[in-house]
Amino acid sequence: QIVLRNEIRETLEEVITFCKHKDDILLGEWGLNDFLKGNTSIGVNFYGESGTGKSISAEAVANALGLKVIRADYSAMVDSKWGDTEKNLTALFQKAEATGSVIILNEADGLLSKRTDSSSTASNMNEVKSHLLTLVDRSNVIIFYTTNLFENFDKAFFRRILYHVNFPMPNHDEMVSLLKFHIGGPKFLKDPSNFSYDTIADMCVGTLAGGDIKNLSLRLCVKMVANKIPVLTNDNVKQEIDIYIKSLNDSKGVRVVPESDV
C-alpha cells in the first residue's frame, strides 16, 4: 500500500534480507564477524521531505520481519536535567533488546547532528551523542532513523548506518497512485466526468507529498459529508489544494504574490 519507487523498494528488500540473515549467514558462513566486533546494531537512515513515507516504510519493514516497533521522537528523548537524556536512551535500547523490537527514531538529526564545542549546552549534547554512539556499538538492535535534515548528521553516525535511503517528493505517476489510493473509492467519485487524476496530480507535483494527500482527502471527505460539495471535480479539488498549499507556504514563511500583483 506504500507508493515507492522501484529502487527504494529494492533497497528495503535488501534491508529485510540483511536483518533476516545477519546471524545465521552473514556473520557465520560468510565470516563477516572477523571484522564486526561484539554486538552489531543495524542502522538504516530514511531521509527526505516530510510526508514522503519514511516512518511508514520503517514500520512496513518491521512488519515484514515480524518485529514489534518502538517509536521514539527526539523531543521525547531529550530531557533538560543533566544525564536524563542518556538514561532515556539507555532505557530505549534496553527495552528494544528485551522485547526484540525495532527502534524508529524520528527527528534523528537532533541527536545525530555534528558535535560542537561552543557552549555548555553543546558540551552536554556532545556527551549525549557520545553515549548514543556507545549504545549503537554495544547493542544488537535494528534502528531506523528518519530525518528531514540528513546534511546535519555527524560523520561518526553516518559510518554506523548501513543504508541511507532518500525518499523524494512524488513524481507525476506516483502522485496519481497516491490520489487513487486516497480518493479512489465510489463514494468520492460518484460522477467522474469532470474529474481527472492526471489533472489533479499536475496541481500537486513538486509541492505536496503523500502525507499532504492524506490530509487533503480527509478535508474533501468532510466537505462531502457536510454536503458542501456533492461530487469531486477538478475545480473543487483545486480549490482545496490551493487553500492547503497556502497554509503550507505560510508555515514555511513563504509569501506567494497574487497574480494580480505580477
Side-chain angles (χ1 to χ4, degrees):
Q1 294 182 339
I2 306 175
V3 177
L4 296 172
R5 297 187 186 180
N6 288 336
E7 58 267 28
I8 297 177
R9 190 175 297 276
E10 289 173 2
T11 301
L12 298 190
E13 290 171 353
E14 287 183 22
V15 171
I16 292 169
T17 299
F18 185 86
C19 292
K20 283 183 176 179
H21 299 292
K22 186 191 76 167
D23 293 330
D24 60 342
I25 295 180
L26 296 182
L27 300 185
E29 181 180 331
W30 287 55
L32 298 186
N33 54 331
D34 291 343
F35 60 84
L36 293 173
K37 300 177 181 178
N39 290 326
T40 306
S41 62
I42 300 175
V44 183
N45 174 38
F46 291 165
Y47 64 98
E49 295 289 334
S50 297
T52 50
K54 300 183 295 294
S55 294
I56 195 172
S57 292
E59 292 177 0
V61 172
N63 183 64
L65 293 168
L67 299 176
K68 298 178 180 178
V69 170
I70 300 176
R71 297 176 64 100
D73 294 337
Y74 164 74
S75 56
M77 288 289 101
V78 175
D79 195 296
S80 59
K81 293 182 180 178
W82 193 278
D84 279 6
T85 302
E86 291 93 321
K87 292 178 183 177
N88 291 339
L89 289 169
T90 298
L92 172 66
F93 276 75
Q94 288 176 341
K95 183 177 180 180
E97 286 195 307
T99 60
S101 300
V102 169
I103 296 174
I104 300 179
L105 184 58
N106 293 314
E107 306 167 321
D109 52 277
L111 286 169
L112 276 63
S113 59
K114 298 177 181 68
R115 285 165 286 186
T116 60
D117 55 1
S118 58
S119 67
S120 58
T121 301
S123 177
N124 183 26
M125 283 307 300
N126 288 344
E127 291 186 15
V128 169
K129 292 164 189 173
S130 296
H131 183 72
L132 179 56
L133 283 169
T134 301
L135 290 172
V136 168
D137 286 342
R138 295 181 179 178
S139 301
N140 189 24
V141 298
I142 302 170
I143 314 163
F144 287 94
Y145 306 96
T146 71
T147 180
N148 306 335
L149 299 169
F150 180 36
E151 64 273 15
N152 290 347
F153 273 31
D154 191 292
K155 291 298 182 183
F157 287 107
F158 178 91
R159 296 188 181 95
R160 286 169 168 82
I161 297 173
L162 185 61
Y163 287 95
H164 297 275
V165 186
N166 179 26
F167 282 70
M169 294 288 281
N171 60 29
H172 178 87
D173 290 343
E174 292 161 351
M175 185 60 72
V176 169
S177 296
L178 286 166
L179 289 167
K180 286 182 177 179
F181 178 79
H182 286 92
I183 55 175
K187 290 186 178 179
F188 277 104
L189 298 181
K190 299 175 183 177
D191 178 10
S193 58
N194 294 312
F195 180 91
S196 166
Y197 285 113
D198 285 319
T199 300
I200 301 301
D202 287 338
M203 301 175 191
C204 301
V205 168
T207 306
L208 302 184
D212 300 311
I213 300 304
K214 178 193 71 174
N215 289 339
L216 184 67
S217 68
L218 292 172
R219 290 170 60 103
L220 290 168
C221 183
V222 170
K223 284 191 175 294
M224 295 186 78
V225 170
N227 293 318
K228 291 188 175 181
I229 53 176
V231 64
L232 295 188
T233 66
N234 290 340
D235 288 340
N236 57 36
V237 174
K238 180 183 184 302
Q239 189 175 37
E240 282 302 307
I241 290 173
D242 288 344
I243 293 171
Y244 189 90
I245 290 178
K246 182 182 183 305
S247 298
L248 188 63
N249 287 332
D250 287 345
S251 73
K252 297 177 180 178
V254 176
R255 180 177 179 270
V256 178
V257 179
E259 292 183 6
S260 58
D261 294 344
V262 176

